Amino acid sequence: MNNLNIYKEKLRESGLRPTRQRLKICEALFSPKETFHFTINDLSKIIEEKLDEKISLATVYNTVHAFKKNGYLKEIVIATDKSYFDTNTGTHSHFFDIKNKELIDINQVDLKDIPNPPTGKKIKNIDVIINVESE
Amino acid sequence: MNNLNIYKEKLRESGLRPTRQRLKICEALFSPKETFHFTINDLSKIIEEKLDEKISLATVYNTVHAFKKNGYLKEIVIATDKSYFDTNTGTHSHFFDIKNKELIDINQVDLKDIPNPPTGKKIKNIDVIINVESE
DNA sequence: CAAGTAGTTTAGAATAATTATAAAGTAATT
DNA sequence: AATTACTTTATAATTATTCTAAACTACTTG
Ligand SMILES: [Mn+2]
Ligand SMILES: [Mn+2]
Ligand SMILES: [Zn+2]
Ligand SMILES: [Zn+2]
């Protein structure tokens, strides 16, 4: 299955029609050999500069959120004023360089003990961010 | 040492003069027997409704940030569009109820192994958030 | 204490990320 | 080809936060 069909499949799975804009977004997100972390603005720039297409921000936001909801992207919560996303959807943890605002993948960090959640609540997921800075 | 002097001390330590507004903020933050989590807006409302004083948002932001910088408050990073702070400055971890946007303190969760940071970077702190939801 | 100055408060403006809107455009179905 | 449902877009709205500069106040000093 070639890339184009993989993109169409992911879109279909996410309940989205394969439009020209969405396929470009897929190309930006899923064609690189290595996974990567990005903000909406990063992604928008990549599409504009490398893929030579200008897509409205609303469409980028909508598509990224749809992919997140359907598990093709993850959101990484860090101490910053903008949202970061990750094309690496496998279970893993992160270093976060506070100064450069850069995320670095690491193998999943396991906890010694997982505490029991309050009655009536169940654990959805656990976020571990190791904040680092240049010395 | 009475509360008032404790507040003045914290302010002095933070390089801030003990103004009427800042002392009210201290009262809201440090007089409760139990520590608590709050947003700037929460804090502003507490001061307005319970302490009967209207303080401009700029002052609340400035004072909270000064206290954070000086270790009298911590900021908790969670998946939300606003900043959360904590009057519990001891080392501890959190459950975060995604639906209610509520933080719950738990004992510090230890990691099985702390990964080595990339060369030239050192660990500043580690954030662990256990996201939960009502079942 | 009076005056000087350095720091503070405030309302309102500015900024910035994100979301909402609604008109024009496109993909899918018949 | 026509119809329908979905999509894109420019633009406005929203919201948290930061900035600004004028009025105000705490502190120091004579
Ligand atoms: Mn935001
Ligand atoms: Mn923000
Ligand atoms: Zn990652
Ligand atoms: Zn806490």
Short mmCIF file of all heavy atoms in Angstrom, two decimals, chain B residues 81-114:
data_model
loop_
_atom_site.label_atom_id
_atom_site.label_comp_id
_atom_site.label_asym_id
_atom_site.label_seq_id
_atom_site.Cartn_x
_atom_site.Cartn_y
_atom_site.Cartn_z
N ASP B 81 -6.21 24.90 29.42
CA ASP B 81 -5.78 26.14 28.80
C ASP B 81 -5.39 27.21 29.81
O ASP B 81 -4.97 28.29 29.44
CB ASP B 81 -6.86 26.65 27.86
CG ASP B 81 -8.21 26.72 28.58
OD1 ASP B 81 -8.38 26.06 29.62
OD2 ASP B 81 -9.10 27.44 28.11
N LYS B 82 -5.53 26.90 31.10
CA LYS B 82 -5.10 27.90 32.07
C LYS B 82 -4.09 27.32 33.05
O LYS B 82 -3.93 26.11 33.15
CB LYS B 82 -6.28 28.54 32.79
CG LYS B 82 -7.28 27.60 33.34
CD LYS B 82 -8.58 28.31 33.72
CE LYS B 82 -9.65 28.09 32.68
NZ LYS B 82 -10.99 28.47 33.05
N SER B 83 -3.40 28.20 33.74
CA SER B 83 -2.34 27.77 34.66
C SER B 83 -2.93 27.41 36.02
O SER B 83 -3.76 28.13 36.54
CB SER B 83 -1.32 28.89 34.84
OG SER B 83 -0.65 29.12 33.64
N TYR B 84 -2.43 26.33 36.58
CA TYR B 84 -2.83 25.92 37.91
C TYR B 84 -1.66 26.07 38.87
O TYR B 84 -0.52 25.74 38.52
CB TYR B 84 -3.31 24.46 37.91
CG TYR B 84 -4.73 24.31 37.46
CD1 TYR B 84 -5.10 24.53 36.14
CD2 TYR B 84 -5.74 23.96 38.37
CE1 TYR B 84 -6.42 24.42 35.73
CE2 TYR B 84 -7.06 23.84 37.96
CZ TYR B 84 -7.39 24.07 36.65
OH TYR B 84 -8.70 23.95 36.25
N PHE B 85 -1.98 26.53 40.06
CA PHE B 85 -0.95 26.69 41.09
C PHE B 85 -1.34 25.88 42.31
O PHE B 85 -2.49 25.46 42.46
CB PHE B 85 -0.78 28.16 41.44
CG PHE B 85 -0.30 28.99 40.28
CD1 PHE B 85 -1.21 29.56 39.40
CD2 PHE B 85 1.05 29.17 40.04
CE1 PHE B 85 -0.77 30.31 38.31
CE2 PHE B 85 1.50 29.91 38.96
CZ PHE B 85 0.58 30.48 38.09
N ASP B 86 -0.35 25.70 43.20
CA ASP B 86 -0.50 24.81 44.34
C ASP B 86 0.14 25.47 45.55
O ASP B 86 1.29 25.91 45.47
CB ASP B 86 0.23 23.50 44.00
CG ASP B 86 -0.17 22.35 44.89
OD1 ASP B 86 -0.72 22.61 45.98
OD2 ASP B 86 0.08 21.20 44.51
N THR B 87 -0.62 25.56 46.63
CA THR B 87 0.00 26.10 47.86
C THR B 87 0.77 25.01 48.60
O THR B 87 1.46 25.30 49.57
CB THR B 87 -1.06 26.72 48.80
OG1 THR B 87 -1.94 25.70 49.27
CG2 THR B 87 -1.86 27.81 48.09
N ASN B 88 0.64 23.78 48.15
CA ASN B 88 1.44 22.70 48.72
C ASN B 88 2.77 22.66 47.97
O ASN B 88 2.83 22.22 46.82
CB ASN B 88 0.69 21.37 48.55
CG ASN B 88 1.49 20.19 49.08
OD1 ASN B 88 2.65 20.32 49.44
ND2 ASN B 88 0.84 19.03 49.12
N THR B 89 3.81 23.16 48.61
CA THR B 89 5.10 23.27 47.92
C THR B 89 6.00 22.07 48.21
O THR B 89 7.14 22.02 47.73
CB THR B 89 5.83 24.56 48.32
OG1 THR B 89 5.97 24.57 49.74
CG2 THR B 89 5.04 25.77 47.86
N GLY B 90 5.52 21.14 49.01
CA GLY B 90 6.30 19.92 49.26
C GLY B 90 6.32 19.04 48.03
O GLY B 90 5.55 19.23 47.09
N THR B 91 7.23 18.08 48.03
CA THR B 91 7.33 17.15 46.91
C THR B 91 6.15 16.19 46.95
O THR B 91 5.98 15.46 47.92
CB THR B 91 8.64 16.34 47.02
OG1 THR B 91 9.72 17.27 47.11
CG2 THR B 91 8.81 15.46 45.82
N HIS B 92 5.34 16.24 45.92
CA HIS B 92 4.21 15.32 45.86
C HIS B 92 3.74 15.20 44.42
O HIS B 92 4.17 15.94 43.56
CB HIS B 92 3.07 15.78 46.78
CG HIS B 92 2.42 17.06 46.35
ND1 HIS B 92 3.03 18.30 46.46
CD2 HIS B 92 1.20 17.30 45.82
CE1 HIS B 92 2.21 19.24 46.02
NE2 HIS B 92 1.08 18.66 45.61
N SER B 93 2.87 14.23 44.18
CA SER B 93 2.35 14.02 42.83
C SER B 93 0.84 14.27 42.83
O SER B 93 0.27 14.63 43.85
CB SER B 93 2.69 12.61 42.36
OG SER B 93 4.09 12.40 42.42
N HIS B 94 0.23 14.09 41.65
CA HIS B 94 -1.19 14.42 41.52
C HIS B 94 -1.97 13.43 40.67
O HIS B 94 -1.45 12.91 39.69
CB HIS B 94 -1.34 15.81 40.86
CG HIS B 94 -0.84 16.92 41.70
ND1 HIS B 94 0.43 17.42 41.58
CD2 HIS B 94 -1.44 17.64 42.70
CE1 HIS B 94 0.60 18.40 42.47
NE2 HIS B 94 -0.52 18.54 43.16
N PHE B 95 -3.21 13.26 41.08
CA PHE B 95 -4.24 12.79 40.16
C PHE B 95 -4.84 14.04 39.54
O PHE B 95 -4.96 15.08 40.21
CB PHE B 95 -5.36 12.05 40.90
CG PHE B 95 -4.98 10.68 41.36
CD1 PHE B 95 -5.07 10.34 42.71
CD2 PHE B 95 -4.57 9.70 40.47
CE1 PHE B 95 -4.75 9.07 43.16
CE2 PHE B 95 -4.24 8.42 40.90
CZ PHE B 95 -4.33 8.11 42.25
N PHE B 96 -5.23 13.91 38.28
CA PHE B 96 -5.95 15.02 37.66
C PHE B 96 -7.22 14.48 37.04
O PHE B 96 -7.18 13.63 36.13
CB PHE B 96 -5.10 15.72 36.59
CG PHE B 96 -5.85 16.83 35.89
CD1 PHE B 96 -6.36 17.91 36.59
CD2 PHE B 96 -6.03 16.80 34.51
CE1 PHE B 96 -7.06 18.93 35.95
CE2 PHE B 96 -6.72 17.81 33.86
CZ PHE B 96 -7.23 18.88 34.59
N ASP B 97 -8.34 14.94 37.55
CA ASP B 97 -9.64 14.53 37.02
C ASP B 97 -9.92 15.37 35.77
O ASP B 97 -10.20 16.57 35.86
CB ASP B 97 -10.71 14.74 38.08
CG ASP B 97 -12.07 14.24 37.63
OD1 ASP B 97 -12.43 14.45 36.44
OD2 ASP B 97 -12.79 13.65 38.45
N ILE B 98 -9.86 14.70 34.64
CA ILE B 98 -9.94 15.39 33.35
C ILE B 98 -11.26 16.13 33.17
O ILE B 98 -11.30 17.23 32.65
CB ILE B 98 -9.77 14.36 32.19
CG1 ILE B 98 -8.44 13.61 32.33
CG2 ILE B 98 -9.83 15.05 30.86
CD1 ILE B 98 -8.37 12.37 31.45
N LYS B 99 -12.34 15.47 33.59
CA LYS B 99 -13.67 16.06 33.39
C LYS B 99 -13.89 17.28 34.28
O LYS B 99 -14.28 18.33 33.81
CB LYS B 99 -14.77 15.02 33.68
CG LYS B 99 -14.81 13.88 32.69
CD LYS B 99 -15.58 14.22 31.41
CE LYS B 99 -15.43 13.12 30.36
NZ LYS B 99 -15.92 11.80 30.82
N ASN B 100 -13.62 17.10 35.57
CA ASN B 100 -13.88 18.19 36.52
C ASN B 100 -12.74 19.18 36.63
O ASN B 100 -12.84 20.14 37.38
CB ASN B 100 -14.13 17.62 37.92
CG ASN B 100 -15.14 16.50 37.92
OD1 ASN B 100 -15.97 16.40 37.02
ND2 ASN B 100 -15.07 15.64 38.91
N LYS B 101 -11.65 18.88 35.94
CA LYS B 101 -10.46 19.72 36.02
C LYS B 101 -10.06 19.94 37.48
O LYS B 101 -9.83 21.07 37.91
CB LYS B 101 -10.67 21.06 35.31
CG LYS B 101 -11.04 20.90 33.84
CD LYS B 101 -10.64 22.09 33.02
CE LYS B 101 -11.14 21.98 31.58
NZ LYS B 101 -10.83 20.69 30.96
N GLU B 102 -9.95 18.83 38.19
CA GLU B 102 -9.64 18.92 39.61
C GLU B 102 -8.36 18.15 39.92
O GLU B 102 -8.18 17.02 39.47
CB GLU B 102 -10.82 18.33 40.41
CG GLU B 102 -10.69 18.51 41.89
CD GLU B 102 -11.70 17.63 42.64
OE1 GLU B 102 -12.39 16.81 41.99
OE2 GLU B 102 -11.77 17.74 43.87
N LEU B 103 -7.49 18.78 40.67
CA LEU B 103 -6.24 18.14 41.08
C LEU B 103 -6.39 17.53 42.46
O LEU B 103 -7.03 18.13 43.33
CB LEU B 103 -5.11 19.18 41.11
CG LEU B 103 -4.49 19.55 39.76
CD1 LEU B 103 -3.74 20.87 39.86
CD2 LEU B 103 -3.58 18.43 39.28
N ILE B 104 -5.80 16.36 42.65
CA ILE B 104 -5.85 15.70 43.95
C ILE B 104 -4.42 15.30 44.34
O ILE B 104 -3.73 14.63 43.57
CB ILE B 104 -6.74 14.44 43.87
CG1 ILE B 104 -8.17 14.82 43.48
CG2 ILE B 104 -6.72 13.68 45.20
CD1 ILE B 104 -8.98 13.67 42.90
N ASP B 105 -4.01 15.73 45.52
CA ASP B 105 -2.65 15.41 45.97
C ASP B 105 -2.48 13.94 46.32
O ASP B 105 -3.38 13.32 46.90
CB ASP B 105 -2.32 16.21 47.25
CG ASP B 105 -1.93 17.64 46.94
OD1 ASP B 105 -1.76 17.99 45.75
OD2 ASP B 105 -1.78 18.42 47.91
N ILE B 106 -1.33 13.40 45.98
CA ILE B 106 -0.94 12.07 46.46
C ILE B 106 0.53 12.11 46.83
O ILE B 106 1.24 13.04 46.44
CB ILE B 106 -1.15 10.96 45.40
CG1 ILE B 106 -0.55 11.38 44.06
CG2 ILE B 106 -2.62 10.63 45.26
CD1 ILE B 106 -0.69 10.33 42.98
N ASN B 107 0.96 11.12 47.58
CA ASN B 107 2.38 11.03 47.89
C ASN B 107 3.20 10.99 46.62
O ASN B 107 2.71 10.53 45.59
CB ASN B 107 2.67 9.78 48.71
CG ASN B 107 2.13 9.91 50.12
OD1 ASN B 107 2.03 11.02 50.66
ND2 ASN B 107 1.75 8.78 50.71
N GLN B 108 4.43 11.40 46.73
CA GLN B 108 5.26 11.41 45.55
C GLN B 108 5.35 10.02 44.92
O GLN B 108 5.55 9.02 45.61
CB GLN B 108 6.68 11.87 45.91
CG GLN B 108 7.51 12.04 44.66
CD GLN B 108 8.97 12.32 44.97
OE1 GLN B 108 9.36 12.36 46.13
NE2 GLN B 108 9.76 12.53 43.94
N VAL B 109 5.18 9.97 43.64
CA VAL B 109 5.29 8.72 42.90
C VAL B 109 6.73 8.59 42.42
O VAL B 109 7.23 9.45 41.69
CB VAL B 109 4.33 8.76 41.68
CG1 VAL B 109 4.53 7.54 40.82
CG2 VAL B 109 2.90 8.87 42.15
N ASP B 110 7.40 7.53 42.84
CA ASP B 110 8.79 7.36 42.42
C ASP B 110 8.90 6.57 41.13
O ASP B 110 8.06 5.71 40.84
CB ASP B 110 9.58 6.64 43.53
CG ASP B 110 9.80 7.57 44.72
OD1 ASP B 110 10.20 8.72 44.50
OD2 ASP B 110 9.57 7.13 45.87
N LEU B 111 9.93 6.85 40.38
CA LEU B 111 10.18 6.15 39.13
C LEU B 111 11.09 4.95 39.40
O LEU B 111 11.94 4.99 40.28
CB LEU B 111 10.87 7.09 38.13
CG LEU B 111 10.20 8.43 37.90
CD1 LEU B 111 10.97 9.21 36.83
CD2 LEU B 111 8.76 8.27 37.50
N LYS B 112 10.88 3.89 38.62
CA LYS B 112 11.75 2.72 38.76
C LYS B 112 13.19 3.09 38.46
O LYS B 112 14.10 2.75 39.20
CB LYS B 112 11.29 1.61 37.79
CG LYS B 112 10.23 0.71 38.39
CD LYS B 112 9.93 -0.46 37.46
CE LYS B 112 8.73 -1.26 37.98
NZ LYS B 112 8.05 -1.99 36.90
N ASP B 113 13.40 3.77 37.35
CA ASP B 113 14.74 4.23 36.99
C ASP B 113 14.61 5.63 36.42
O ASP B 113 13.69 5.90 35.66
CB ASP B 113 15.35 3.36 35.89
CG ASP B 113 15.47 1.93 36.34
OD1 ASP B 113 16.31 1.65 37.20
OD2 ASP B 113 14.70 1.09 35.82
N ILE B 114 15.55 6.47 36.81
CA ILE B 114 15.56 7.81 36.23
C ILE B 114 16.52 7.81 35.05
O ILE B 114 17.71 7.54 35.22
CB ILE B 114 15.97 8.85 37.28
CG1 ILE B 114 14.92 8.86 38.40
CG2 ILE B 114 16.09 10.23 36.65
CD1 ILE B 114 15.22 9.79 39.53
#
